[in-house]
Structures are given as C-alpha cells and as structure tokens.
Amino acid sequence: MVNRIWQYHFGKGIVETPSNFGANGLEPTHPELLDWLASRFVEEKWSIKTMHRLILNSSTYRQSCKSQDSSVQKRDPDNRLLSRFRRKRLEGEIVRDAILATSGRLNFDRGGPPVFPPIPQEMEVVGNRVRWDTSPQPECSKRSIYIHQRRMLNYPFLKIFDAPVLNATCSRRRSSVTVLQPLAMYDSEFVNDEAKFFANRIARESDAERTEQIRHAFRIALGRDPSDAEVARSAEFMKSKDSPEDALVGMCRVLYNTSEFLYVD
C-alpha cells in the first residue's frame, strides 16, 4: 500500500511493478525506505492521510525537477536515486478539474448520484440509441470523480489523457504524449467553453487595464505573477485579436496549454 501511495506522488513506486513483489518483479530502488514506510504505516494505524502528509512534507518530494548538478543527469538518467523530482503530467481527471477551477465553475459539492458531462455531438447518438443525457448545470461541473463510468463509453477528454478503461485492472497509469492532447486542450468544445468563462472571470475580478488582466490570469492559472517579458508577450498576442473579448479568451486558452499548467515539476 505504501508503495502505491509513493507511486501516486512520484509517478513510479519504490518497486516499479506495484502488483508484483515476487521474483518476477523489479527490485526496490530503496528497500530500507520501503520497510520504514511500511512500519510507519502500521504504527499510524493504517492511516493513508498520515502517509500522504509524511511524503508530501519530505525534502525528497519538495525538490525541483531541475538538477543543480549537470553530472547527476549522466550518472542517474532515469532518476532512480531520486536526486531530483520526477516531472509528471496531471491525470486527466485533475486536468479537467483544474480547467473548471480556473473558470470558476467547478462544483465542490460532495456525494450524490453520478453526473453526465457534455460529450461531443457525434457521440451522443449511435443508431437509435442515445448514449446519455447531459446533466444540467451546476451538477455536470462536479469534480471528475463523480463522472458516470460506462465500459462501452469513456468520457473522451479523460480518455485522451490516459484515464484507465474500466474493463481491465490498472496498477499503474501510463502517461503518453499524443497529438490528440494539444488538440483537445486548444480546440475542444469543453476547453473553448471554459476559456470563455475564465475570460469572463478575469474581466469581472480585475479592471479593464490589459496588464492587470494578464497578471490576474497568471495568478489564477499558474499561481504566480508573470515576468515582465511574459506580460509583454501576452500583451502583444492580445493586440493581434479582433476584439478585447477574443483577446482575453485567446490568452486564457494559451495559459491552459502551458506545460506549467499541465505538469507538476
């Protein structure tokens, strides 16, 4: 169990074959650490929350993915020794939730029945059979954990970002890089709609001055202030648009597509 918790936070477990600790599995990279974590897990009365807190507060987790020593990359190219943080992309469910959170439409209600978010129109009807009816707002903007799961129909946005299918076990998610991912982030109906809500939020929460709008958008999407160069480039990009509304929507869409928005490093 502690190996799987570690795997969730670092992308790989201390044992990289989480369902096989036997002779045919891979050996742990840090066996003493694995034993110590397992002992702490028992001592803390099997508290998963305690293990999350322990790992997240460790200096190992709080490292940057950028190594200060160039020779380390050569000696440990796969980062098995954890000399730096292993950059990982957010899971599809978290990408969707992050987009809804920035647009201000994420519904934090807990519990209740599953929800049915909008799916592409071409997938709604097959023959004479309707795949599902979209839940009304704000229910369909609940967190992705509440999305209805159907073996014969995976929610397309999550599937593109490697959400596991339900007809097979998944001990470790794969993390692919495909052409469909940037297409979904730049021109899918879901992202285009949320970019408009994000832009409306920026216009509502900041004044009409373009520089302040850019700074506010960066704070919401990336959790930091932009540099002067980023402000200048963003302003230049917004000048190329036909209207102030299109300019703001376009900038919000660009922020959605940054590596900083999609990756933990």
Side-chain angles (χ1 to χ4, degrees):
M1 184 63 191
V2 295
N3 188 65
R4 289 180 183 271
I5 297 172
W6 186 276
Q7 174 183 271
Y8 174 77
H9 291 300
F10 287 91
K12 289 183 180 180
I14 298 172
V15 177
E16 291 187 32
T17 50
S19 293
N20 189 348
F21 275 38
N24 293 327
L26 296 177
E27 294 184 357
T29 56
H30 301 73
E32 296 87 355
L33 173 61
L34 184 62
D35 287 343
W36 182 79
L37 288 171
S39 298
R40 282 293 303 269
F41 191 39
V42 176
E43 292 170 4
E44 297 293 344
K45 304 185 186 305
W46 317 96
S47 171
I48 296 176
K49 181 180 289 187
T50 299
M51 300 311 297
H52 285 307
R53 186 180 295 113
L54 177 65
I55 292 173
L56 295 181
N57 283 315
S58 68
S59 58
T60 304
Y61 179 81
R62 291 186 292 173
Q63 294 182 110
S64 168
C65 68
K66 299 177 182 178
S67 176
Q68 302 297 321
D69 186 352
S70 58
S71 64
V72 172
Q73 184 82 24
K74 298 178 181 178
R75 296 198 302 268
D76 184 25
D78 296 327
N79 196 28
R80 290 174 59 85
L81 301 179
L82 300 174
S83 60
R84 60 194 180 279
F85 188 77
R86 184 182 292 114
R87 172 182 281 193
K88 67 171 188 172
R89 196 191 66 223
L90 299 176
E91 295 92 333
E93 294 90 336
I94 302 178
V95 173
R96 175 183 175 272
D97 291 355
I99 291 172
L100 287 169
T102 56
S103 71
R105 297 216 303 163
L106 183 61
N107 182 349
F108 288 95
D109 289 349
R110 300 171 63 181
V115 299
F116 299 82
I119 58 175
Q121 188 173 2
E122 60 270 17
M123 297 181 64
E124 290 182 355
V125 179
V126 175
N128 295 322
R129 181 182 176 189
V130 178
R131 292 295 186 97
W132 69 38
D133 295 323
T134 301
S135 300
Q137 283 287 0
E139 283 77 13
C140 72
S141 292
K142 289 181 71 173
R143 289 173 296 158
S144 299
I145 192 174
Y146 293 109
I147 292 178
H148 178 75
Q149 300 287 342
R150 187 176 290 173
R151 283 183 296 175
M152 301 303 294
L153 176 62
N154 299 105
Y155 183 54
F157 188 84
L158 302 187
K159 185 177 181 180
I160 288 171
F161 284 93
D162 303 312
V165 297
L166 298 180
N167 56 3
T169 58
C170 178
S171 60
R172 179 183 170 191
R173 291 193 182 200
R174 68 191 186 99
S175 182
S176 65
V177 178
T178 68
V179 175
L180 291 177
Q181 291 164 1
L183 288 175
M185 290 298 296
Y186 196 78
D187 199 29
S188 67
E189 185 176 347
F190 168 65
V191 171
N192 285 335
D193 287 344
E194 297 308 316
K196 294 175 184 177
F197 284 105
F198 186 12
N200 290 337
R201 178 185 178 185
I202 299 301
R204 186 173 62 252
E205 296 179 358
S206 61
D207 57 41
E209 205 273 318
R210 179 164 289 175
T211 299
E212 180 54 35
Q213 289 182 339
I214 293 170
R215 293 187 184 281
H216 192 49
F218 267 75
R219 293 186 196 111
I220 293 174
L222 306 182
R224 64 172 177 84
D225 283 314
S227 65
D228 292 339
E230 288 171 329
V231 171
R233 288 197 298 268
S234 299
E236 188 66 28
F237 168 78
M238 294 175 73
K239 287 180 182 178
S240 66
K241 300 300 179 181
D242 296 332
S243 68
E245 293 77 14
D246 290 342
L248 201 51
V249 171
M251 191 194 66
C252 291
R253 189 184 295 110
V254 169
L255 288 175
Y256 282 152
N257 282 270
T258 59
S259 295
E260 195 172 347
F261 184 82
L262 294 170
Y263 284 81
V264 177
D265 58 7

